[in-house]
Amino acid sequence: MKPISFKRHRFPADVIRHAVWLYFRFSLSFRDVEELLAQRGIDVSYETVRCWTIKFGPLIARRLKRRRPTPSPRWHLDEMVCSIGGKRMYLWRAVDDEGEVLDLVVQRRRDTEAALKLLRRLLHNQPVEPEMITTDGLASYGAALDQLDLRHLHRPGRLRENNRAENSHLPIRRRERQQQRFKSQGSAQRFLTTHAAIYNTFNVQRHLISRPTLRRFRADADAAWAAAVA
């Protein structure tokens, strides 16, 4: 991959990388990042931090995504309601059975066409064919899978069967509150796509592993980040 160019920026590349990492890695606002940098003697405005995240965030996310291992072929799909720009919208998301965020799309509707859009994105962008697709009881999923001739893979979720997708909404809800809701459909799509790639890299599910394994996973995540922002 070609190195990321930080030319014509007043601040050093390490400062920009660190600011972008802070914003997407933790539930921080732009002003929070500004305060953290100021504590280290770096005088940068929150508006500058916002511009850095818009310019470099999606690029870093694409590079991180290329480095990820092949996800599981067992997919979980779900949708959640969001208030974006004062309007009711739906965030359609897909994760695998290990919690890896596969793809997401912000849409105005909760119907078959919306479900089709998510499924087509998944089939086009994922390097593995699905073996099982678990959803909630929304009939739009079944209708969309019928059109794609994938109904034999469908497992309509009952009770806890789709908890993997339900639980994956929690980080998004935290960021939604921190940002006082998303301002537009485009900005929400851009932020959430970038956030997903960085979340996948650093989400090591520490409660399931030993301390030595946690240290190794953290080192691997830091190495992946260093390679993506180089």
Side-chain angles (χ1 to χ4, degrees):
M1 292 181 288
K2 292 177 59 178
I4 297 178
S5 175
F6 295 94
K7 292 181 179 179
R8 295 186 295 277
H9 286 272
R10 182 164 62 92
F11 289 89
D14 285 344
V15 173
I16 299 174
R17 294 188 189 105
H18 189 62
V20 173
W21 178 77
L22 285 171
Y23 180 69
F24 287 107
R25 176 68 182 89
F26 305 102
S27 296
L28 300 173
S29 67
F30 294 126
R31 289 176 173 82
D32 291 334
V33 176
E34 177 185 349
E35 290 285 339
L36 289 170
L37 295 177
Q39 195 273 335
R40 298 189 176 197
I42 303 171
D43 184 18
V44 56
S45 73
Y46 71 89
E47 183 63 24
T48 299
V49 174
R50 185 185 73 85
C51 292
W52 289 346
T53 61
I54 292 174
K55 180 176 181 180
F56 296 107
L59 174 59
I60 294 171
R62 288 194 296 270
R63 292 159 70 98
L64 284 172
K65 192 171 182 180
R66 291 194 202 108
R67 300 180 63 87
R68 295 295 295 170
T70 301
S72 165
R74 294 174 292 278
W75 298 351
H76 295 254
L77 278 58
D78 195 36
E79 72 290 339
M80 59 182 279
V81 180
C82 295
S83 178
I84 301 177
K87 298 179 180 178
R88 183 185 180 92
M89 294 192 184
Y90 298 91
L91 173 59
W92 296 72
R93 301 175 70 248
V95 301
D96 69 9
D97 61 350
E98 297 179 353
E100 181 95 356
V101 181
L102 302 175
D103 209 340
L104 57 91
V105 59
V106 180
Q107 305 192 76
R108 296 179 181 273
R109 298 184 180 277
R110 187 170 178 255
D111 56 13
T112 302
E113 287 301 316
L116 267 174
K117 183 173 182 179
L118 175 64
L119 285 163
R120 283 171 175 155
R121 282 172 63 104
L122 285 167
L123 295 170
H124 181 265
N125 296 327
Q126 295 306 311
V128 61
E129 294 292 326
E131 293 179 359
M132 182 176 66
I133 301 175
T134 304
T135 72
D136 59 18
L138 183 67
S140 298
Y141 289 116
L145 289 166
D146 279 338
Q147 294 190 36
L148 297 171
D149 293 326
L150 296 175
R151 189 58 178 262
H152 60 287
L153 304 178
H154 190 207
R155 301 293 183 273
R158 295 181 180 85
L159 298 178
R160 299 181 180 180
E161 292 179 6
N162 207 31
N163 270 3
R164 176 62 73 182
E166 295 285 351
N167 291 337
S168 73
H169 293 322
L170 298 179
I172 303 303
R173 288 300 188 199
R174 286 196 294 268
R175 293 310 300 255
E176 186 182 32
R177 289 193 297 270
Q178 177 65 41
Q179 297 180 209
Q180 299 179 4
R181 300 184 179 179
F182 302 113
K183 304 303 184 291
S184 70
Q185 183 175 353
S187 65
Q189 180 74 48
R190 181 179 61 246
F191 168 81
L192 293 170
T193 301
T194 304
H195 177 271
I198 296 172
Y199 175 82
N200 287 342
T201 301
F202 289 96
N203 179 33
V204 295
Q205 301 188 39
R206 56 186 298 170
H207 62 292
L208 300 176
I209 56 179
S210 66
R211 194 71 188 180
T213 303
L214 174 61
R215 287 195 294 269
R216 180 166 59 85
F217 283 180
R218 280 178 170 169
D220 291 344
D222 290 338
W225 174 264
V229 300

